Amino acid sequence: GRLGESYVDTLQVTIENQILEIEVSPSYEEKVTLANDNVDEWLEDYAYGSSETYQGLGDIYYPKPVILSWSSEETYSSYKIKISRDSKFSESIVLETDENEISVDDLFCDTQYFWKIYAFDENGKLVGNSETLSFSTLAYPRTITLDGVSNSRDIGGKLTIEGKEVKQGMVYRTANLDYITEEGIKKAKEVYKIKTDLDLRTQGEGLYRSMSPLGRDINYINVTGCYWTGGDNGLDVLTNFGRVREELKVFAIPANYPICFHCAIGQDRTGSLALVLEALLGVEEKDLYIDYELSSFSSAVWDPNNKIWVENKLKYQFTPLLDYIKSYGTNEDTLMYKAELYCEAVGLDYDEIDAI
């Protein structure tokens, strides 16, 4: 079962039946992590550059599902599980099983979920339901699984300096989509509801021309992305400001969402845009570094013949770009405001910045 931004209610119960005596896991209001053991271990004692330990180990960023399980003295033939982010279940999904557990993936982080168990006899008759149960997911980075695509995650879920949370299910960053499978395409459209593919590679760099690998019904935007500072492609180079503006303008149009943006491996052009976008949203510096370093858990950024050590990437590329953004405004200004000044410098107007 998968829970994303949208829900489909397929179980209509107008009369509550008897309350079942059921022991469940997770226990009532238990907090669960979606991070796998590698990511969990890394974040437990995060330090600058520490993701280097995990480089070259493949795609080890995939999230863990939540296993809902239950037991009772009575035996039932089948179950339907109703899950929602709303305690009144006004919007929910329903999963079916004849086992005493079910796996639920694609949950949001830092979110409370409510669920109920409905039990049926061998004739398919509803015989009872549990009380309303709940659990919460912890505030970890929301990585996602797209078959055929590496280095994939939601930029949402991060707390901002204003005490708000960046919306989840709105913007995804990945490596290229060229080898996405049919299963991956289905999930991208049906679970993550992706409407726009923002491709930061040069025109013709990928396998597809003038369309998204997700299909012709996807809004495909190709902007040659800028990355880091200096050289021909730096975000600090005046002649590149127009390109940066075009990248950012995509996020100022509500009809474009949800958006997936990517380059080839999802680290340089993608990492640079993510830094600016997240800084503009008010994400703290530590979380900017964590989001960037999560690429170390991906197979896409690792070439055994040309090792890309994260410590060097941070020292000579990521941090200099962050310092450049911080050069705007005064020492008293927040990073969020400095990023806003940079966006104004590249040509975004106030309404566009406000829309983002």
Side-chain angles (χ1 to χ4, degrees):
R2 297 185 175 96
L3 288 182
E5 180 63 25
S6 62
Y7 293 78
V8 178
D9 187 357
T10 59
L11 177 61
Q12 302 295 331
V13 179
T14 56
I15 301 176
E16 294 291 307
N17 288 263
Q18 67 172 341
I19 300 297
L20 306 177
E21 293 294 329
I22 295 179
E23 294 185 4
V24 300
S25 176
S27 60
Y28 187 68
E29 296 190 344
E30 182 178 343
K31 296 185 182 296
V32 299
T33 179
L34 303 180
N36 67 45
D37 292 344
N38 288 310
V39 175
D40 192 20
E41 175 187 59
W42 172 61
L43 290 173
E44 185 71 25
D45 297 302
Y46 171 74
Y48 172 95
S50 57
S51 64
E52 193 160 281
T53 303
Y54 301 89
Q55 286 191 282
L57 300 180
D59 283 327
I60 56 172
Y61 61 86
Y62 295 132
K64 287 197 305 190
V66 173
I67 306 299
L68 304 179
S69 62
W70 54 92
S71 62
S72 66
E73 293 183 0
E74 300 292 330
T75 300
Y76 304 102
S77 180
S78 63
Y79 303 91
K80 289 186 179 181
I81 312 303
K82 196 172 186 178
I83 311 172
S84 178
R85 298 199 300 270
D86 172 11
S87 62
K88 295 182 179 179
F89 294 89
S90 56
E91 291 186 316
S92 59
I93 70 163
V94 175
L95 309 175
E96 299 183 27
T97 181
D98 55 7
E99 304 291 336
N100 284 75
E101 68 174 34
I102 196 163
S103 175
V104 186
D105 58 11
D106 294 308
L107 299 176
F108 284 174
C109 63
D110 195 25
T111 300
Q112 184 174 19
Y113 285 92
F114 301 90
W115 60 298
K116 274 188 176 182
I117 304 167
Y118 294 85
F120 296 80
D121 64 19
E122 64 276 4
N123 297 315
K125 179 183 177 181
L126 177 65
V127 295
N129 57 267
S130 70
E131 296 181 302
T132 297
L133 308 161
S134 77
F135 64 90
S136 296
T137 57
L138 293 172
Y140 280 81
R142 187 186 180 221
T143 58
I144 66 169
T145 304
L146 271 178
D147 193 46
V149 181
S150 185
N151 209 9
S152 48
R153 54 191 175 274
D154 189 336
I155 74 164
K158 302 173 180 66
L159 288 179
T160 73
I161 59 174
E162 296 181 332
K164 299 178 181 179
E165 185 178 277
V166 179
K167 289 182 180 180
Q168 298 176 66
M170 297 287 282
V171 180
Y172 300 96
R173 55 173 293 181
T174 68
N176 74 80
L177 306 179
D178 289 358
Y179 301 98
I180 191 169
T181 65
E182 288 299 320
E183 178 185 341
I185 292 173
K186 182 178 180 180
K187 193 172 183 182
K189 292 181 174 182
E190 296 182 4
V191 177
Y192 304 127
K193 309 292 185 182
I194 292 170
K195 292 182 180 178
T196 299
D197 175 356
L198 173 57
D199 189 344
L200 304 177
R201 296 174 294 181
T202 57
Q203 190 171 18
E205 183 180 342
L207 298 180
Y208 288 73
R209 305 291 186 271
S210 71
M211 67 170 282
S212 170
L214 300 180
R216 294 192 180 278
D217 56 330
I218 298 297
N219 179 27
Y220 179 69
I221 302 174
N222 187 195
V223 179
T224 301
C226 296
Y227 51 95
W228 312 133
T229 57
D232 295 330
N233 296 292
L235 278 79
D236 60 332
V237 178
L238 185 61
T239 53
N240 291 335
F241 278 13
R243 289 160 58 188
V244 179
R245 180 177 65 250
E246 291 307 305
E247 292 179 71
L248 290 166
K249 282 170 70 73
V250 174
F251 300 91
I253 303 173
N256 286 341
Y257 289 91
I259 299 167
C260 174
F261 72 99
H262 64 88
C263 51
I265 64 175
Q267 187 179 44
D268 296 309
R269 288 165 287 190
T270 300
S272 298
L273 177 56
L275 189 162
V276 175
L277 186 61
E278 291 172 22
L280 181 63
L281 296 174
V283 174
E284 298 276 8
E285 282 192 39
K286 178 182 177 181
D287 287 324
L288 295 179
Y289 277 99
I290 286 174
D291 185 46
Y292 178 73
E293 288 201 54
L294 268 169
S295 291
S296 296
F297 293 76
S298 162
S299 63
V301 304
W302 184 257
D303 179 353
N305 299 314
N306 184 25
K307 296 180 176 62
I308 304 173
W309 294 107
V310 69
E311 186 175 352
N312 288 335
K313 299 286 288 185
L314 289 171
K315 183 177 181 180
Y316 297 111
Q317 296 178 336
F318 187 88
T319 300
L321 175 57
L322 179 58
D323 288 341
Y324 169 70
I325 300 299
K326 290 164 67 175
S327 71
Y328 282 79
T330 69
N331 291 335
E332 287 72 34
D333 292 327
T334 64
L335 175 60
M336 184 177 183
Y337 182 63
K338 291 170 182 283
E340 184 175 334
L341 293 177
Y342 171 70
C343 290
E344 289 178 355
V346 302
L348 290 185
D349 61 36
Y350 176 80
D351 288 340
E352 291 170 324
I353 293 172
D354 189 54
I356 297 173

